[in-house]
Amino acid sequence: MPRVANPLTKVRKRLEPCCFGQANFKNLPKDKDKPSRPELHLSFYRKNVPIQREIVPKVDEALDLACERLGLNRELVHGFVRPDPTINAFCRDGIRGNAVVFVNSGLVERLTVLEMAYVFGHELGHFLTPLALNTIPDGQGGHVPASMEDAVIYRQLEVSMDRFGLVVCQDLNIACSAALKLQSGLSGENIQVDLEAFGKEAIKGFVRDHKEYYNEAFASHPAIYARIRALYLFSQSDEFLALVGKRGGRPHAEVDADVQKDLYATLDYYAEKLMDDALSDLNNSLAALQVDHEGQC
């Protein structure tokens, strides 16, 4: 009997152009494509509302659209609305092979259907690209990257996830509006997406203050300006345009090179600076030990 290709493998292969840097599909665990029964997630029903058309129709519409445009089997995705006024969402992967997506009620109240679809695209990207990175507790119930190297990969991963979201909503202004609402907590009437302004301000304001090296080097997410710029650049790429059925665009490699420049100018600079400082301190210590040793001989 011929071997049947795994559906998730097909999805990942089609979406490979969204991957940036080390956030890719290469070293992933074996795919799981068997949906679990909803009742297996009973613990999530106790404090959350399931995303179903009969209960939260607009949220369900957004989740359906995200799955459709990513090519992901909707039966693999369980969604819930959490009673939380903050604007946030997250995805738990690996639960019986399924994705479980949570959106806060504050997000539902402020985002449109297409903006929610962008967010779902971003979060489902974490299910499709579950990179195993090292983390440590942040003291507030969450986790942060365990090393500067992990933080750099985390930032690359977030750029990739934003691209998944753009593939879903297929509109740069909608993606940027959703990103700004998530960043600011504001509603639509108080948000104006000015991409030209973002292009001018993208790299400004990142002062090379040594006191900030540590925090910036370990940041898991790029700055909002860099993320907006990265979305803008990817929307011009030939690979994105092909994914949404269009032609033309800039070579993908050129786009990634520009995104990397922005990341370096904002955050990766700090990681490199800290690593260089650490190596310099180590070399100085070794040199001092060598001099001390020679003096005792």
Side-chain angles (χ1 to χ4, degrees):
M1 181 180 294
R3 184 177 179 181
V4 179
N6 190 298
L8 281 186
T9 301
K10 292 182 179 179
V11 171
R12 287 167 171 162
K13 185 175 182 180
R14 187 176 73 86
L15 295 173
E16 279 182 343
C18 296
C19 294
F20 174 70
Q22 298 179 69
N24 54 51
F25 295 138
K26 290 183 179 178
N27 299 312
L28 296 176
K30 293 182 179 180
D31 295 332
K32 298 178 181 179
D33 65 336
K34 294 181 180 180
S36 65
R37 301 189 307 275
E39 63 268 21
L40 294 177
H41 304 294
L42 285 176
S43 61
F44 300 137
Y45 286 80
R46 292 183 180 276
K47 296 182 179 180
N48 308 288
V49 172
I51 296 176
Q52 296 176 357
R53 192 60 60 103
E54 300 82 3
I55 303 174
V56 281
K58 290 185 177 180
V59 187
D60 189 68
E61 179 185 349
L63 185 54
D64 275 355
L65 181 61
C67 291
E68 176 187 340
R69 289 185 172 172
L70 291 178
L72 184 60
N73 181 359
R74 177 67 170 84
E75 293 184 359
L76 288 176
V77 181
H78 302 276
F80 296 88
V81 177
R82 300 173 69 239
D84 188 323
T86 61
I87 303 181
N88 197 17
F90 60 93
C91 178
R92 295 179 60 180
D93 64 336
I95 301 178
R96 299 181 179 87
N98 291 196
V100 181
V101 184
F102 296 86
V103 292
N104 288 359
S105 55
L107 181 147
V108 175
E109 293 292 337
R110 290 174 177 82
L111 270 63
T112 66
V113 170
L114 283 176
E115 288 170 346
M116 281 190 283
Y118 164 83
V119 173
F120 281 130
H122 176 109
E123 297 304 332
L124 289 173
H126 286 293
F127 169 66
L128 293 168
T129 58
L131 293 179
L133 296 172
N134 297 318
T135 62
I136 56 176
D138 62 3
Q140 300 177 350
H143 288 78
V144 295
S147 69
M148 287 178 285
E149 292 83 355
D150 284 324
V152 170
I153 300 175
Y154 265 98
R155 294 194 284 269
Q156 294 174 350
L157 182 63
E158 289 302 316
V159 169
S160 299
M161 300 306 98
D162 288 347
R163 291 175 173 184
F164 281 110
L166 182 58
V167 168
V168 168
C169 73
Q170 300 187 2
D171 187 301
L172 179 62
N173 284 299
I174 289 172
C176 293
S177 176
L180 285 170
K181 287 181 179 180
L182 285 163
Q183 177 76 11
S184 66
L186 295 173
S187 58
E189 65 240 27
N190 294 310
I191 290 285
Q192 177 175 323
V193 179
D194 188 335
L195 295 177
E196 184 177 354
F198 268 104
K200 292 177 180 178
E201 297 295 325
I203 312 303
K204 292 182 180 178
F206 292 92
V207 179
R208 304 296 196 238
D209 181 352
H210 190 277
K211 292 183 294 185
E212 295 298 319
Y213 282 177
Y214 186 88
N215 290 336
E216 297 299 327
F218 280 84
S220 61
H221 288 58
I224 184 63
Y225 291 117
R227 293 179 72 174
I228 294 291
R229 274 265 298 170
L231 279 169
Y232 167 72
L233 290 167
F234 184 62
S235 73
Q236 296 181 319
S237 71
D238 51 5
E239 296 281 16
F240 168 73
L241 293 176
L243 280 170
V244 297
K246 298 180 181 180
R247 296 181 179 179
R250 295 180 60 199
H252 188 76
E254 288 184 10
V255 168
D256 277 0
D258 284 345
V259 172
Q260 186 56 57
K261 288 178 183 177
D262 284 353
L263 288 180
Y264 179 80
T266 54
L267 292 176
D268 291 354
Y269 165 88
Y270 296 99
E272 184 175 299
K273 177 64 176 173
L274 271 181
M275 286 187 279
D276 287 345
D277 288 350
L279 286 173
S280 178
D281 290 343
L282 175 62
N283 288 332
N284 290 337
S285 297
L286 291 174
L289 286 173
Q290 180 68 22
V291 170
D292 183 64
H293 176 72
E294 291 175 352
Q296 294 178 15
C297 293

